[in-house]
Amino acid sequence: MPTPRRAALHRVPMRHPGDTAAIEHLITTGRLDPSGIVAILGKTEGNGCVNDFTRAYAVQSLTLMLARHMGVEAAARVALVMSGGTEGGLSPHFLVFTVEAGDAPNPAGALAIGTGFTRDFAPEEIGRPAQAEAVATAVHQAMEAAAITEVHYVQVKCPLLTTERIATAGASVATEDTYASMGLSRGASALGVALALGEVDAVLPEDIGRNWKRFSAVASASAGVELERCEVIVLGNSTAWSGDLAIAHAVMQDAIDLPAVHRAMRLAGLPAEDGQLAPAAAERLVAVLAKAEPSSTGRIRGQRHIMWDDSDINATRHARALVGGVIAGAVGRTDIFVSGGAEHQGPDGGGPVAVIARRALPV
Amino acid sequence: MPTPRRAALHRVPMRHPGDTAAIEHLITTGRLDPSGIVAILGKTEGNGCVNDFTRAYAVQSLTLMLARHMGVEAAARVALVMSGGTEGGLSPHFLVFTVEAGDAPNPAGALAIGTGFTRDFAPEEIGRPAQAEAVATAVHQAMEAAAITEVHYVQVKCPLLTTERIATAGASVATEDTYASMGLSRGASALGVALALGEVDAVLPEDIGRNWKRFSAVASASAGVELERCEVIVLGNSTAWSGDLAIAHAVMQDAIDLPAVHRAMRLAGLPAEDGQLAPAAAERLVAVLAKAEPSSTGRIRGQRHIMWDDSDINATRHARALVGGVIAGAVGRTDIFVSGGAEHQGPDGGGPVAVIARRALPV
Amino acid sequence: MPTPRRAALHRVPMRHPGDTAAIEHLITTGRLDPSGIVAILGKTEGNGCVNDFTRAYAVQSLTLMLARHMGVEAAARVALVMSGGTEGGLSPHFLVFTVEAGDAPNPAGALAIGTGFTRDFAPEEIGRPAQAEAVATAVHQAMEAAAITEVHYVQVKCPLLTTERIATAGASVATEDTYASMGLSRGASALGVALALGEVDAVLPEDIGRNWKRFSAVASASAGVELERCEVIVLGNSTAWSGDLAIAHAVMQDAIDLPAVHRAMRLAGLPAEDGQLAPAAAERLVAVLAKAEPSSTGRIRGQRHIMWDDSDINATRHARALVGGVIAGAVGRTDIFVSGGAEHQGPDGGGPVAVIARRALPV
Amino acid sequence: MPTPRRAALHRVPMRHPGDTAAIEHLITTGRLDPSGIVAILGKTEGNGCVNDFTRAYAVQSLTLMLARHMGVEAAARVALVMSGGTEGGLSPHFLVFTVEAGDAPNPAGALAIGTGFTRDFAPEEIGRPAQAEAVATAVHQAMEAAAITEVHYVQVKCPLLTTERIATAGASVATEDTYASMGLSRGASALGVALALGEVDAVLPEDIGRNWKRFSAVASASAGVELERCEVIVLGNSTAWSGDLAIAHAVMQDAIDLPAVHRAMRLAGLPAEDGQLAPAAAERLVAVLAKAEPSSTGRIRGQRHIMWDDSDINATRHARALVGGVIAGAVGRTDIFVSGGAEHQGPDGGGPVAVIARRALPV
């Protein structure tokens, strides 16, 4: 019988997108074994849109720092998923996921992590079924490798089209609007997750970016200019893993669905008082990951929102600020991973929310 | 004994800042007697900063509409307080406050409204004690006129300095930074309310915009380019008024103080489920009014926020989106009056939140 | 023989979008006979995009002011064309066009003005050939009414799609992206001008917003949320008109085509020194009208521009600032009417520039 | 007699702030000897304000690339000066300055480059005369080392105050606002250049950041957190250097002073046609360096600009777009180094403009 694995998670702040000092401090003080790092998610303070270079800057900084401690080759195997945009009160931070040798498997299930990668895409594949299908394959590979049967969150980092890339395309691209390409790429990625998990049967060209009834309840995709393939991180619980962390999720039906956040907290064993995570349980909250997007209808519960009509602030920036506020109210902290652009990730205007927490000690 | 008055409140959407059709529809269908209108608060979709002309546009549109139904002179007596900025999910809307003849006074206390105005200020008075003292006088006049002893919310609309106005000043102005002038004007106004209510003993020049320990727990000030005086609306409960509306308030200690919102809801008789206003009580919620601002420390509960360092989106826009999200999560709707720039309005980074609700029928 | 008409033009500043005082001052001091006003163009300081309410606010303010001096009905016949966006150094201003009785016709040709209007469009017509065809008809009507045979500038103000309007459409709309709708509406309008002037033979659905080789060399269209029809103002020279004003134009081949601006100046009789309008001739410059847009290639003379990839500032805002700089350098003043969104108005990345000047006195 | 030196300059595009491939291509194809690189100026596409991380990202990327070709120590000696902001049509690019062995000195004078450094400053010296005086000394040292007698451009990279540095100060600091310290440090640096060149007699504490009549006609300063001293790059002509490059400058009196740009071009031997650099001479233009800032008066030649009152776009962004347009019109290209923040660098609202060109071959 193989040694069970144990997943751990460090949440640390960054002072700017190139600041990896908090992670390095964990390494140099012996609290984080760099060889166990499988993925780092980062919430960086750019605009989260086309010209957000904070993601690439953070990736370059992390790669340099990891290479110093792990060597260049090992560092290159760590999945780095930067999501730009800390609007409202969101606080820039890194989530460092590690896998190490555990002791006894947790029969109640423990947090398990699997990762996968697609090939590089041609510009003309982005935002189309070919991308979704490659993502589905990568999700399956990640699940198998990690023996996950109960999936609660799938993070996909995907490419986008820039004016430069469009010019090199071998065939017509899904859109020539670089900003729109981010949505199509996220949407195709999410439908790839849905395909992998049986939430949809197939991904048709006309679904992507149009048919919002088709979505995954656990997908979270973010697009960045710094990569040409998709990177997949699957989070779930597994009885083959050890440790006291567990993950749960719920689906926000709209951007102000605070009860869904409460449901996810409750499923993760976290109690609330006066609407907010009870102070006594606050230290057991390890991470919150959620998606945000403006409803395509221009309304939230019947009231008009102005996200689509605001030509000064991108709609995704409004949405992250809003959902960040709803969730920060629920959990009482702002270093939560809310990423924008939730096309096919939860229902129109809503999105998945996942909570990772330490199980309460039996009294 | 004089006839008791009754305050009523209509909350209606606007499709754009010049759209007063929803109010006019109430008038023409007989549900709103224009002669009773004392104040209209509007949440318009501009940037809420120096070049936000949606406020002036809404004021001009309201004035024209009211003049058609009330005559020019009566229309000019209605206090019009437009607050720009519907970031995140906030929905542009008007709150129309009316006072009409009531029946028996409500011994439990009923919503009461008083209004007051200062003189026009010289540019060099803005953001200085002279402004605060004039506001305090106006608050006292409004309270006396309405027999309010329990004050829960004081809205002050105040002027700002523009490059043009600075050029006409007769003496040195408090600041030559037009954007900064909005904060000083709001701050002086709020300290004026605090002075009126005994929350501070005096307003010193060095307090304004600096000493954040001095604040009012019920003030809400917003600055606009369209006026040169301060307009004051005092909301409270009075046993001399009739009706089933009541107002309550709490103070958010920081931007994510969801428990304070719950407290205000509870004091107004509104129950919550899973963190959100219970659906069965939803129709009894009449209005929510709150202030939002970025903490001056750059942190929320120890975590860094980026509001002050973002040179693309003004800090107040981030703050409104955030607090709008926290409150919308609590009340389950987005047409809430969250205004930015909470200098001396509640503690640093926090602010007052007031809830107006219909009392539950006794079972 | 009918009395010849004479066109005149007043250029006045505005302190904010609701400030019509400079025009009113001309009226009350007898320098402007309101009954002669046929059109007012305004460059207002909004973002020039979807949520630019400075245009509607200016229109409302102008309408009120004109009604005071002309009566409501006459005021309603004045064409009001507000173009939002004074990025870079552009200065907010109004151009007031008047037509009055002249003396002898100018055999060299004098500035002549014609106006026309289309019907209101259904949402599904916007950005489609039906819009172009209606514009062409309106251009012909305006030319005939003003006896213009030499057309130098055609201003079209056209509607856009908002989330609200899309919801009321009776059929599928050209785009559901409100911002994109502005470009399609401007493009359809410009192709309508091209159709009227024989610059194209027909307007096909696939041309609009795609085939940038088809354009008008004299069209200038701007879209605004405040109207549902197109308003057309044709400027040209006519030997049937009197006066010493004349108009000339050139086509900027790209955004930095300063030589084209010089060509237009020269054709209008204005000399330059060291690249800029000669001081001695400066007072003869009456107005400059131009279009600006980012090249669709992402490049200007081979060098990359970042207008399309900047998610913080809209591409049209960059373009207006840039072209405003080029032209302000040429003419030595900043109250020039540079409007954004030059789809099918001049070649890709370029646009028409028209100069109105007083003819030099013979020496 | 020592071997004369020759200065050379490569201007290359960047596709994003981390893209140093064009420089690397010059190195690997043998056209650029990395050992000769003394300085790299970069115009990156961030917002040029507080949260512009494109500068640090470009510096990190350049440092990595240079270290690969020169070794870490030599790379550290290259002065890297990144200026954020490519608004309007400005094109992101690098200017790579090299010094190598030349042949015969050019008796007409050739471009010469000198560098100098001050000591580290105490926090209380920053933004004060002590800083200016040290900069003046460094300018003199750089001039002597490079035998420059005719100075046309002085780039100063200067420190700023951080919260940490303020805490270690031995006396009160010039400002406790860290952002304001950037402007004071730039201003003190520019006045230091003015002092070195005899443009001012002395630098008084009350001049810095206040008395805009005192300025240098050739200074360009930028502040960065990564250094505690000032680094100075002096560009001028010297008869001791060889090569056919020469530099000239003029001072724009305001943002639309196109004649000043023409003057600088003419002094650098570049002819114009129709206001723009003549196509036949275009290849001789090597670089343009200029400063841009909004006039503090809110006006340009009497007309209002909206730069200070626009709360959506920072004033420096407007100014760069505007001045970029004026200069691009003059030189017919957009990869020009226009940087913002021109305190005491040219007159209020204006700034220096320097042109580097290859001398025309004698016919």
Side-chain angles (χ1 to χ4, degrees):
Chain A
M1 190 184 114
T3 310
R5 287 165 285 180
R6 183 171 57 199
L9 183 43
H10 293 272
R11 179 182 48 196
V12 297
M14 69 182 102
R15 287 167 304 177
H16 57 77
D19 174 36
T20 61
I23 301 176
E24 195 154 22
H25 184 67
L26 290 176
I27 293 172
T28 55
T29 56
R31 282 174 289 169
L32 171 61
D33 175 3
S35 70
I37 301 174
V38 293
I40 302 179
L41 269 63
K43 191 99 259 301
T44 63
E45 61 201 276
N47 62 25
C49 303
V50 175
N51 64 328
D52 181 353
F53 302 104
T54 63
R55 295 172 298 213
Y57 180 30
V59 163
Q60 183 169 279
S61 301
L62 285 167
T63 302
L64 287 170
M65 184 276 290
L66 291 173
R68 282 198 297 275
H69 294 282
M70 307 170 68
V72 169
E73 279 184 29
R77 283 193 296 270
V78 175
L80 302 176
V81 183
M82 300 300 112
S83 162
T86 56
E87 295 82 4
L90 293 172
S91 189
H93 67 289
F94 290 118
L95 296 173
V96 184
F97 290 87
T98 60
V99 174
E100 50 197 43
D103 32 41
N106 188 332
L111 178 68
I113 303 172
T115 57
F117 305 87
T118 69
R119 60 183 161 76
D120 281 2
F121 294 112
E124 56 268 30
E125 290 179 311
I126 291 174
R128 290 194 166 135
Q131 184 184 353
E133 285 150 17
V135 166
T137 302
V139 169
H140 279 147
Q141 288 168 345
M143 288 172 66
E144 275 165 41
I148 300 172
T149 48
E150 183 191 318
V151 174
H152 287 282
Y153 195 76
V154 181
Q155 180 72 44
V156 187
K157 189 60 187 283
C158 56
L160 57 89
L161 292 170
T162 60
T163 308
E164 299 272 319
R165 283 183 192 164
I166 291 168
T168 72
S172 81
V173 291
T175 177
E176 299 205 349
D177 176 338
T178 57
Y179 187 70
S181 78
M182 301 178 77
L184 292 178
S185 181
R186 287 187 299 254
S189 298
L191 288 171
V193 175
L195 189 62
L197 301 180
E199 297 172 285
V200 301
D201 291 332
V203 177
L204 305 175
E206 60 267 32
D207 285 337
I208 303 172
R210 288 204 195 83
N211 184 354
W212 304 123
K213 305 228 158 125
R214 303 188 141 225
F215 62 82
S216 168
V218 297
S220 169
S222 66
V225 77
E226 68 276 15
L227 75 177
E228 297 184 31
R229 65 176 177 178
C230 286
E231 304 181 358
V232 168
I233 303 172
V234 179
L235 301 181
N237 295 322
S238 170
T239 53
W241 288 53
S242 70
D244 62 350
L245 295 182
I247 183 169
H249 83 278
V251 176
M252 294 173 75
Q253 296 300 315
D254 60 23
I256 63 172
D257 189 0
L258 179 61
V261 185
H262 274 250
R263 217 148 48 231
M265 287 165 61
R266 202 158 51 227
L267 289 168
L270 297 174
E273 281 174 19
D274 259 357
Q276 196 165 83
L277 176 60
E283 63 169 356
R284 290 200 288 109
L285 176 69
V286 175
V288 184
L289 306 113
K291 289 303 295 193
E293 71 167 5
S295 64
S296 70
T297 59
R299 296 187 173 264
I300 298 174
R301 301 191 188 180
Q303 304 296 332
R304 181 168 72 98
H305 65 71
I306 55 79
M307 303 190 224
W308 294 118
D309 289 345
D310 187 347
S311 303
D312 297 311
I313 301 179
N314 238 287
T316 50
R317 306 199 75 180
H318 281 291
R320 271 190 299 271
L322 167 60
V323 174
V326 171
I327 298 180
V331 299
R333 55 188 308 152
T334 55
D335 49 355
I336 49 187
F337 190 83
V338 176
S339 80
E343 300 85 354
H344 303 297
Q345 300 148 66
D348 183 22
V353 55
V355 173
I356 302 176
R358 236 184 310 282
R359 293 182 191 276
L361 290 178
V363 207
Chain B
M1 191 183 114
T3 309
R5 287 165 286 181
R6 183 170 58 199
L9 183 42
H10 293 271
R11 179 181 49 196
V12 296
M14 70 182 100
R15 289 166 303 177
H16 57 77
D19 174 36
T20 62
I23 301 176
E24 195 155 23
H25 184 69
L26 290 175
I27 295 172
T28 55
T29 56
R31 282 174 290 169
L32 170 62
D33 175 2
S35 71
I37 300 174
V38 293
I40 301 179
L41 271 62
K43 190 98 259 300
T44 63
E45 62 202 275
N47 62 26
C49 302
V50 175
N51 63 328
D52 181 353
F53 302 103
T54 63
R55 296 171 297 213
Y57 180 30
V59 163
Q60 182 168 281
S61 301
L62 284 168
T63 302
L64 287 170
M65 185 275 292
L66 291 174
R68 281 197 298 273
H69 295 281
M70 306 169 69
V72 169
E73 279 184 30
R77 282 193 296 269
V78 174
L80 302 176
V81 183
M82 301 300 113
S83 162
T86 54
E87 296 81 3
L90 293 172
S91 188
H93 67 287
F94 290 117
L95 296 173
V96 184
F97 290 86
T98 60
V99 175
E100 51 198 42
D103 34 41
N106 188 331
L111 178 68
I113 303 172
T115 57
F117 304 88
T118 69
R119 59 182 162 78
D120 281 0
F121 295 112
E124 56 267 30
E125 290 179 310
I126 291 174
R128 290 193 166 136
Q131 184 184 351
E133 286 151 16
V135 166
T137 303
V139 169
H140 279 147
Q141 289 170 345
M143 287 171 67
E144 276 166 41
I148 299 173
T149 49
E150 183 191 318
V151 173
H152 287 282
Y153 195 77
V154 181
Q155 180 71 46
V156 187
K157 188 61 187 283
C158 56
L160 56 91
L161 291 170
T162 60
T163 309
E164 299 272 319
R165 282 181 193 166
I166 291 169
T168 71
S172 81
V173 291
T175 178
E176 297 204 349
D177 176 337
T178 56
Y179 187 69
S181 78
M182 301 177 78
L184 293 179
S185 181
R186 286 188 299 254
S189 298
L191 287 171
V193 175
L195 189 62
L197 301 180
E199 297 173 284
V200 301
D201 291 333
V203 178
L204 306 175
E206 59 267 32
D207 286 336
I208 301 172
R210 287 203 195 83
N211 184 354
W212 304 125
K213 305 228 159 126
R214 303 187 141 226
F215 61 81
S216 169
V218 298
S220 170
S222 66
V225 77
E226 68 276 14
L227 76 177
E228 297 183 32
R229 65 177 179 178
C230 286
E231 305 181 357
V232 169
I233 304 172
V234 179
L235 302 182
N237 295 321
S238 170
T239 52
W241 288 53
S242 69
D244 61 350
L245 295 182
I247 182 169
H249 83 280
V251 177
M252 295 174 75
Q253 295 301 315
D254 61 22
I256 62 172
D257 189 0
L258 180 59
V261 185
H262 273 250
R263 216 147 49 232
M265 287 164 61
R266 201 159 50 227
L267 289 167
L270 297 174
E273 281 173 20
D274 259 358
Q276 195 165 84
L277 176 59
E283 64 169 358
R284 290 199 288 109
L285 176 69
V286 175
V288 184
L289 306 113
K291 288 302 295 192
E293 72 168 3
S295 64
S296 70
T297 60
R299 295 185 175 265
I300 298 173
R301 302 193 186 178
Q303 305 296 330
R304 180 168 71 97
H305 65 72
I306 55 81
M307 303 189 225
W308 294 118
D309 289 344
D310 187 346
S311 303
D312 297 311
I313 299 179
N314 239 287
T316 50
R317 307 200 73 181
H318 281 291
R320 272 189 298 270
L322 168 60
V323 174
V326 171
I327 298 179
V331 299
R333 55 189 306 152
T334 55
D335 49 355
I336 50 188
F337 190 83
V338 176
S339 81
E343 299 86 354
H344 303 296
Q345 300 148 64
D348 184 21
V353 55
V355 173
I356 302 175
R358 237 184 308 281
R359 293 182 191 277
L361 291 178
V363 206
Chain C
M1 191 184 113
T3 309
R5 287 165 285 181
R6 183 170 58 200
L9 182 43
H10 293 271
R11 178 182 51 196
V12 296
M14 70 181 100
R15 289 167 304 177
H16 57 77
D19 173 36
T20 61
I23 301 176
E24 195 153 24
H25 184 69
L26 290 175
I27 294 172
T28 55
T29 56
R31 282 175 290 170
L32 171 61
D33 174 2
S35 71
I37 300 174
V38 292
I40 301 178
L41 270 63
K43 190 97 262 296
T44 63
E45 61 199 278
N47 62 26
C49 303
V50 176
N51 63 327
D52 181 353
F53 302 104
T54 63
R55 296 172 297 213
Y57 179 31
V59 163
Q60 186 182 67
S61 302
L62 285 168
T63 302
L64 287 170
M65 184 276 291
L66 292 174
R68 281 196 298 273
H69 295 281
M70 307 169 68
V72 170
E73 279 183 30
R77 282 194 297 269
V78 175
L80 302 176
V81 182
M82 301 299 114
S83 162
T86 55
E87 295 81 4
L90 293 173
S91 189
H93 67 288
F94 290 116
L95 296 173
V96 184
F97 290 87
T98 60
V99 174
E100 51 197 43
D103 33 40
N106 189 331
L111 178 68
I113 303 172
T115 57
F117 304 88
T118 69
R119 60 182 161 78
D120 281 1
F121 294 112
E124 57 268 31
E125 291 179 310
I126 291 174
R128 290 193 167 135
Q131 184 184 352
E133 286 151 16
V135 166
T137 302
V139 169
H140 280 147
Q141 288 169 345
M143 287 171 67
E144 276 166 41
I148 300 172
T149 48
E150 183 192 318
V151 173
H152 288 282
Y153 195 77
V154 181
Q155 180 71 45
V156 187
K157 189 61 186 285
C158 56
L160 56 89
L161 291 170
T162 59
T163 309
E164 300 273 319
R165 282 183 193 164
I166 292 169
T168 72
S172 80
V173 291
T175 177
E176 298 204 349
D177 177 337
T178 56
Y179 186 70
S181 79
M182 301 177 77
L184 293 179
S185 181
R186 286 188 299 254
S189 299
L191 287 171
V193 175
L195 189 63
L197 300 179
E199 299 172 284
V200 301
D201 292 333
V203 177
L204 305 175
E206 60 267 33
D207 285 337
I208 302 172
R210 287 201 196 84
N211 184 356
W212 305 123
K213 305 228 159 124
R214 302 189 143 226
F215 61 81
S216 169
V218 297
S220 170
S222 66
V225 76
E226 67 276 17
L227 76 177
E228 296 183 33
R229 65 177 179 178
C230 285
E231 304 181 357
V232 169
I233 303 172
V234 179
L235 301 182
N237 294 323
S238 169
T239 52
W241 288 54
S242 70
D244 62 350
L245 295 182
I247 182 168
H249 82 278
V251 177
M252 295 174 76
Q253 296 300 314
D254 60 23
I256 62 173
D257 189 0
L258 179 60
V261 185
H262 274 251
R263 217 150 45 233
M265 287 164 61
R266 201 159 49 227
L267 289 167
L270 297 174
E273 280 174 20
D274 260 357
Q276 195 165 83
L277 176 59
E283 64 169 357
R284 290 200 288 110
L285 176 68
V286 176
V288 185
L289 307 113
K291 288 302 295 191
E293 72 169 2
S295 64
S296 70
T297 60
R299 297 187 173 264
I300 298 173
R301 302 192 187 179
Q303 304 296 331
R304 181 168 72 98
H305 66 71
I306 55 80
M307 304 191 223
W308 294 119
D309 289 345
D310 186 346
S311 304
D312 296 312
I313 300 179
N314 237 288
T316 50
R317 306 199 74 181
H318 281 290
R320 271 189 299 270
L322 167 60
V323 174
V326 172
I327 297 179
V331 299
R333 55 188 308 152
T334 55
D335 50 354
I336 49 188
F337 190 83
V338 176
S339 81
E343 300 85 355
H344 304 294
Q345 300 147 67
D348 183 21
V353 54
V355 173
I356 302 175
R358 235 183 311 281
R359 293 182 192 276
L361 290 178
V363 205
Chain D
M1 192 184 113
T3 310
R5 287 164 286 180
R6 184 170 56 200
L9 183 43
H10 293 272
R11 179 182 49 195
V12 296
M14 69 181 102
R15 288 167 304 176
H16 57 78
D19 174 37
T20 61
I23 301 176
E24 195 155 22
H25 184 68
L26 290 175
I27 294 172
T28 56
T29 56
R31 281 175 289 170
L32 170 61
D33 175 2
S35 70
I37 301 175
V38 293
I40 301 179
L41 270 64
K43 190 100 260 301
T44 63
E45 61 200 276
N47 61 26
C49 303
V50 176
N51 63 328
D52 182 352
F53 302 104
T54 63
R55 296 172 297 213
Y57 180 31
V59 164
Q60 186 181 68
S61 301
L62 284 168
T63 302
L64 287 170
M65 185 276 290
L66 291 174
R68 281 197 298 273
H69 295 282
M70 306 170 69
V72 170
E73 279 183 29
R77 281 194 296 270
V78 175
L80 302 176
V81 182
M82 300 299 115
S83 161
T86 55
E87 295 81 4
L90 292 172
S91 188
H93 67 290
F94 290 116
L95 296 173
V96 184
F97 290 87
T98 60
V99 174
E100 53 197 41
D103 35 40
N106 189 331
L111 178 68
I113 303 173
T115 56
F117 304 90
T118 68
R119 61 182 162 76
D120 282 359
F121 294 112
E124 57 268 29
E125 292 178 309
I126 291 174
R128 290 198 166 130
Q131 183 184 354
E133 286 150 15
V135 166
T137 303
V139 169
H140 280 147
Q141 288 169 345
M143 288 171 66
E144 276 166 42
I148 300 172
T149 47
E150 183 192 319
V151 174
H152 290 283
Y153 193 78
V154 181
Q155 181 74 45
V156 187
K157 194 171 169 188
C158 56
L160 52 89
L161 290 170
T162 62
T163 308
E164 291 80 357
R165 284 180 193 165
I166 292 170
T168 71
S172 80
V173 292
T175 178
E176 297 203 349
D177 176 338
T178 58
Y179 184 59
S181 79
M182 300 175 76
L184 292 178
S185 182
R186 285 190 300 257
S189 298
L191 287 171
V193 176
L195 189 62
L197 301 179
E199 298 172 284
V200 301
D201 291 332
V203 177
L204 305 174
E206 59 267 32
D207 286 337
I208 302 172
R210 287 202 196 84
N211 183 354
W212 304 123
K213 303 224 160 131
R214 303 189 142 226
F215 60 82
S216 169
V218 297
S220 171
S222 67
V225 75
E226 69 278 11
L227 73 178
E228 296 183 33
R229 63 178 179 178
C230 286
E231 304 180 357
V232 168
I233 304 172
V234 179
L235 302 182
N237 296 323
S238 170
T239 53
W241 288 54
S242 70
D244 61 350
L245 295 182
I247 183 169
H249 83 278
V251 177
M252 295 174 75
Q253 296 301 315
D254 60 22
I256 62 172
D257 188 359
L258 179 60
V261 185
H262 273 250
R263 218 149 47 231
M265 287 164 60
R266 200 159 51 228
L267 290 167
L270 297 174
E273 281 174 19
D274 260 357
Q276 194 165 84
L277 176 59
E283 63 169 358
R284 291 199 287 108
L285 176 69
V286 175
V288 184
L289 305 114
K291 291 298 295 194
E293 70 170 5
S295 64
S296 69
T297 60
R299 296 187 174 263
I300 298 173
R301 302 192 187 178
Q303 304 296 331
R304 181 168 72 98
H305 66 70
I306 56 80
M307 304 191 224
W308 294 118
D309 288 345
D310 187 347
S311 303
D312 296 311
I313 299 179
N314 233 285
T316 51
R317 308 200 74 181
H318 281 290
R320 272 189 298 270
L322 167 60
V323 174
V326 171
I327 298 179
V331 299
R333 54 188 308 151
T334 55
D335 48 356
I336 49 188
F337 190 83
V338 177
S339 80
E343 299 87 354
H344 302 295
Q345 299 147 65
D348 183 22
V353 55
V355 173
I356 303 175
R358 234 183 310 282
R359 291 183 193 278
L361 291 178
V363 207

